Amino acid sequence: MDERGSVGAVAILVVSILCSCALGALAYVGWTIDYGRRVESARVLRLSLRSAAREVLDELARDATPESDGPRDSVWSRLGPRADGLSLVLADASSRLNPNFVSPELLEKTDLRSLLAPGSSPGSLAAYRAEKGLSADPLHYAGIFADSSLPSLSGFGWANLNIDDRDSLHSLYLSLCGDEDGAEAFSLRLDAARAAKRRIGSGELKSFLGGAYRLAYPTISAEAPYNVNFASPELIRQVLSYPGFGIVDPRARAEAILAARAERDLGPIDISALCGTVTSGPVLDHLGARTWFWTLEAEGRGRRLVLTVAVWPEAESRAQEGKAKRLSIVETRFEP
Amino acid sequence: MISHPDEAGYTMVEAAVTLALLSLLGGAIAAFSFGGLRALERARAASASAGTLARMEEALGREAGRVRVPYWDRGARLKILAGDEGYASMPCFDGVRNMRLKLSWGGGRFVISTPEGSESFAPVESVSVSALPAPEACPRGLEVDFSMRGRKYAIEAHFGGAAIPAATEN
C-alpha cells in the first residue's frame, strides 16, 4: 500500500469539505449582501420619489392664487419627466361625483342618475351607504354604480353641510367625533337649517358645529366640491341642469364655462358671472374654483409613489397672513 | 541489498519528538479548521439575521402600507395584546374597515398575516409592538421591537392612509 497516496487523498477530502463549506457560506453571504443591496436600492428609490413629490407639494402649497386652482398654476411647471429619470403627474382627485356624500335628490333630478347600475336607484345608494358604510375607494360602490361610471366617481372630498346627504353627514360626524348623542344633535340642527332653507356659510361653521368643530372640520365643511377648472364637462352640465337651481338655459351656461376655462383659470367671480347667479347660492355650493384633494404620482425605475393630498379650506386667510396652504397627506401607496 | 544501520527503527526519543510535533501540527490544523468553521458559522448566522431582518422589514413595510385608514375615520385603532405570545391587529387593510392586518408572535416566530396569507420569520424573540402615534387621530404606523440571536432591533412601518388631524393642530 502506498501510504503517501492515501495521505494525499485524505488531505484532498478534508480540503474539499472545507472548501465546500466555505463556498456554501460565501454564496449565502453573497446572496444576503445582494438582497441587502436590492433592499437598499429600493429604499433609496423610495426616498427619491418622496423627495420629488415633496417639491411638487411645496409648490402646490405656495400657490400665488389660493382662491382658485387651475391648470395654469405654477405647480404644473414642476410636472412631467425630469432630468433624473423620474416623472410626476398631478390630478384633481375630488372634482368628481362623490358616492359617499352625494344627495339622492341630485341623482334623481338630473341625468347623473344614468351613472347608476341597471336596477339601482338613488334610494338604493342611500340604503347601501347605511348598510356598508362609506369608503374612499369607488370600487366599494361597484354594483350600485355601473362599472363604466366608476372612473367618474371619487371617494375623496370634503362633505358640504348645505348639499350633501343628511345620513352620510351623520355617519361622518360619528366617525370623526365618536359621539352618538352629538351626532344626533348635529343631525337635528342640520334638519332645522334645511327646513328653514338656511345656508350655512364657511364663516358660520364654528358656531354651527360648536365643540365638535375641532374634530369635524374640515371633513365637514361648506365648500363647493367640484372645481369647474377640472370637473368633467358632463358633471358641470348636469349640476347646472338641476331644476332647483333655476338656471336659465343650463346647457349654454355650461358651454360658456367650458369655453372660458379653455382660455383662463376661472375664479369664484367668473363662476357667478358665467352661471348668472349671485355670489352665493345653491349652484355655487356645488361648483367652485378650488380643488380639495389631489393625486400626485411620482414614477421612476419601475416604481411608483401615489400620494393623495388634502388641502385645507382656509387657504385665502392663510395667504393673507403670508402662510402657505395647509396640506395633509391622507394616502401613500408604493406600486409595485 | 544495501543495509542501513538506522532502518531497524526509531529511538524512543525520535518517536516522542515526532509524536509531539505531529500533535502540535494536528492541533494547529484542527484549531485553524474549527476556528475557520466557527467564523464561517458566525458569518452565516450574521448573514441569516441580516437576511431575515431585511425580509421582515420589507414585508412589514409593504403590508403596513396597505393599511389605508379613510381620512374621516378617527376610530381606527391598533389593538395590541402584549405578552410572550402576543397579537396585534389593525383594521382598514386595503381601506376596508373589517379587513385587518394581523401580527402575532411566540415560540421564536413572528407572523404577519393579511386576508391573502401569512409570512413567518424566525428566530424572533422578545417582541413588543406599539403604535406610532398621531395626535388625536388614528396611529400613523407601528413599531416592532424584538431581538434576534441576542441582538436588539426595531422596525418602523407606516400605514398607507391616516385620518386627518384635528383642526387646531396647525
Side-chain angles (χ1 to χ4, degrees), chain A residues 79-284:
Chain A
L79 304 171
R82 298 173 12 141
D84 57 7
L86 304 183
S87 181
L88 292 142
V89 177
L90 184 70
D92 180 310
S94 52
S95 297
R96 281 175 267 162
L97 198 71
N98 192 322
N100 291 319
F101 310 144
V102 66
S103 71
E105 292 75 27
L106 187 66
L107 292 173
E108 263 163 22
K109 295 178 180 171
T110 66
D111 282 346
L112 289 171
R113 187 192 177 104
S114 64
L115 296 174
L116 293 167
S120 279
S121 67
S124 55
L125 170 64
Y128 184 83
R129 286 191 297 224
E131 187 194 344
K132 303 277 185 187
L134 311 179
S135 170
D137 187 353
L139 279 175
H140 178 70
Y141 292 96
I144 296 292
F145 282 88
D147 288 350
S148 57
S149 314
L150 295 178
S152 312
L153 309 178
S154 170
F156 293 104
W158 303 135
N160 185 328
L161 274 173
N162 298 299
I163 62 171
D164 283 326
D165 178 55
R166 180 239 192 233
D167 294 337
S168 295
L169 285 162
H170 180 95
S171 308
L172 208 51
Y173 185 103
L174 201 54
S175 289
L176 288 161
C177 306
D179 171 8
E180 290 207 20
D181 293 339
E184 208 51 54
F186 162 77
S187 293
L188 290 173
R189 281 203 308 279
L190 191 61
D191 291 344
R194 289 186 175 183
K197 297 195 184 308
R198 182 165 78 87
R199 184 186 174 277
I200 300 147
S202 300
E204 298 164 85
L205 272 174
K206 251 183 189 163
S207 60
F208 186 83
L209 292 169
Y213 175 83
R214 199 173 62 84
L215 294 173
Y217 178 82
T219 309
I220 295 177
S221 63
E223 307 297 337
Y226 313 123
N227 182 348
V228 292
N229 292 302
F230 293 109
S232 73
E234 194 52 27
L235 181 61
I236 295 173
R237 284 185 200 113
Q238 293 307 324
V239 167
L240 288 173
S241 73
Y242 184 74
F245 298 160
I247 303 278
V248 179
D249 198 356
R251 185 156 283 272
R253 298 278 184 194
E255 295 315 314
I257 288 174
L258 296 173
R261 81 175 187 183
E263 290 170 7
R264 63 184 193 281
D265 289 349
L266 304 180
I269 295 169
D270 297 313
I271 301 169
S272 301
L274 289 162
C275 293
T277 62
V278 290
T279 50
S280 70
V283 71
L284 299 180

Side-chain angles (χ1 to χ4, degrees), chain B residues 49 52-53 56 84 105-110 121-129 144-155:
Chain B
S49 292
T52 305
L53 194 64
M56 195 168 148
D84 289 341
W105 57 94
R109 303 193 82 76
F110 181 80
F121 303 89
V124 179
E125 307 281 356
S126 311
V127 178
S128 102
V129 172
V144 182
D145 294 281
F146 59 98
S147 66
M148 192 186 283
R149 297 188 173 94
R151 296 190 69 174
K152 289 186 173 175
Y153 298 95
I155 295 177

Side-chain angles (χ1 to χ4, degrees), chain B residues 80-88 103-107 109-111 127 129:
Chain B
I80 302 168
L81 189 66
D84 289 341
E85 296 212 345
Y87 173 82
L103 310 175
S104 56
W105 57 94
R109 303 193 82 76
F110 181 80
V111 182
V127 178
V129 172

